């Protein structure tokens, strides 16, 4: 399991491009035939990726998180960003089509992940956070997500936001998780930019072509930086940082959040004219 220790807003001035990426990005999560995890010290969220092929992949040991089993004090959301697949939790199998999400509650023991067709494998993206109580494991299909239409086409930020793990759809202890898609012809994924002073967030960008990139902006409103993000890359957004991005082509992203509360509207908007 990789480590990301993070940094404070007063440290980014001294970071070059490589150092920014090392602290605020996770690359290479989706390797065929492997499970990869990165433990972040932003609210102790773990991000992970799994691409099962001919053989299923499994995990459940808690050595890397200091407990007997991985889920002794954690919950998880798993989004399928690839072909059809399945996840088995303690012997119960859940079938996941593209953009279905499985919530795994605290107390689970073993997890196995598989693809229906190794030639078109599932691509499982995982967010895990500490949990103080148990909520039953549940599959949330794409059709069951709650869609919010947001933004303005004239400002190139029209987008649809699908809530999956959310009190209005499927409850959890502290994790929130969903998928956002900019509308055709729009490029900006979050407008206006804002701060979550009581929550951190992780973005997994996907469905980008090989030649396209997302320009992700981070930092304090008066001291911004940018990260150039490819398909499957994850950006870690601490509570002190803005987050917004623009793509050179079509893309989507999975957002996962955790922190003090689950109030999606607990944000501090930042006016564009205030950015520096």
């Amino acid at each position: 399991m990789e480590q990301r220790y993070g940094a404070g807003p007063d440290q980014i001035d001294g970071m070059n491009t490589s150092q920014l990426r090392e602290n605020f990005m996770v690359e290479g999560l989706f390797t065929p035939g492997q499970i990869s995890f990165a433990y972040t010290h932003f609210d102790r969220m773990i991000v992970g990726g799994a691409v099962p092929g001919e053989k299923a992949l499994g995990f459940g040991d808690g050595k890397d998180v200091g407990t007997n089993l991985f889920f002794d004090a954690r919950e998880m959301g798993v989004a399928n960003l690839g072909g059809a697949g399945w996840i088995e939790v303690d012997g119960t199998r859940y079938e996941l089509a593209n953009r279905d999400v499985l919530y795994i509650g605290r107390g689970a023991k073993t997890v196995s992940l598989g693809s229906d067709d190794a030639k078109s494998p599932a691509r499982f993206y995982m967010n895990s956070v500490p949990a103080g109580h148990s909520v039953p494991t549940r599959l949330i299909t794409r059709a069951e997500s709650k869609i919010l239409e947001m933004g303005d086409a004239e400002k190139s930020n029209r987008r649809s936001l699908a809530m999956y793990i959310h009190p209005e759809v499927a409850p959890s202890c502290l994790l929130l998780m969903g998928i956002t898609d900019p509308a055709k012809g729009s490029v900006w994924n979050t407008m206006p930019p804002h701060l979550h002073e009581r929550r951190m967030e992780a973005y997994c960008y996907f469905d980008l072509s090989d030649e396209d990139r997302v320009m992700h902006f981070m930092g304090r409103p008066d001291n911004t930086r940018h990260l150039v993000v490819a398909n499957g890359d994850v950006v870690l957004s601490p509570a002190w940082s803005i987050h917004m991005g623009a793509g050179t082509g079509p893309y989507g992203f999975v957002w996962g959040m955790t922190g003090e509360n689950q109030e999606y509207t607990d944000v501090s908007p930042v006016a564009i004219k205030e950015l520096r």
Side-chain angles (χ1 to χ4, degrees), residues 144-164:
E144 292 173 317
S145 66
K146 180 177 180 179
I147 306 294
L148 302 179
E149 298 294 339
M150 308 174 74
D152 185 345
E154 292 186 357
K155 293 189 175 183
S156 300
N157 61 31
R158 185 69 179 168
R159 59 202 185 275
S160 61
L161 184 152
M163 298 187 299
Y164 285 80

Side-chain angles (χ1 to χ4, degrees), residues 194-196 217-220 237-243:
H194 52 269
L195 300 169
H196 299 138
F217 295 88
M218 59 160 293
R220 296 298 294 172
S237 184
W240 52 262
S241 176
I242 66 161
H243 49 84

Side-chain angles (χ1 to χ4, degrees), residues 198-264:
R198 285 158 290 278
R199 293 196 305 275
M200 65 79 64
E201 188 165 9
Y203 279 64
C204 177
Y205 289 98
F206 70 102
D207 279 356
L208 279 81
S209 68
D210 288 341
E211 65 270 17
D212 283 320
R213 296 293 185 269
V214 170
M215 309 300 162
H216 182 103
F217 295 88
M218 59 160 293
R220 296 298 294 172
D222 61 350
N223 187 28
T224 61
R225 298 291 185 272
H226 76 276
L227 298 164
V228 180
V229 184
N231 188 52
D233 288 345
V234 176
V235 175
L236 306 173
S237 184
W240 52 262
S241 176
I242 66 161
H243 49 84
M244 64 180 187
T248 63
Y251 68 98
F253 67 91
V254 181
W255 45 268
M257 288 190 282
T258 190
E260 294 291 344
N261 61 46
Q262 293 184 309
E263 296 297 327
Y264 191 79

Side-chain angles (χ1 to χ4, degrees), residues 8-9 38 45 82 84 95 97-98 107 117 141 165 170 179 191 193 195 222 234 249 254:
M45 177 184 280
E95 304 290 339
N98 181 261
D117 182 356
T141 66
I165 301 174
I179 297 175
M191 279 291 163
L195 300 169
D222 61 350
V234 176
V254 181

Side-chain angles (χ1 to χ4, degrees), residues 99-151:
R99 294 185 179 229
D100 289 348
V101 172
L102 182 68
Y103 170 78
I104 303 174
R106 171 177 168 155
K109 293 179 173 58
T110 60
V111 176
S112 297
L113 308 98
S115 297
D116 289 0
D117 182 356
K119 295 180 180 179
S120 179
R123 289 168 59 91
F124 293 116
Y125 172 62
M126 295 170 273
N127 284 169
S128 175
V129 302
H133 66 268
S134 300
V135 178
T137 295
R138 175 184 167 182
L139 174 65
I140 310 104
T141 66
R142 184 176 187 177
E144 292 173 317
S145 66
K146 180 177 180 179
I147 306 294
L148 302 179
E149 298 294 339
M150 308 174 74

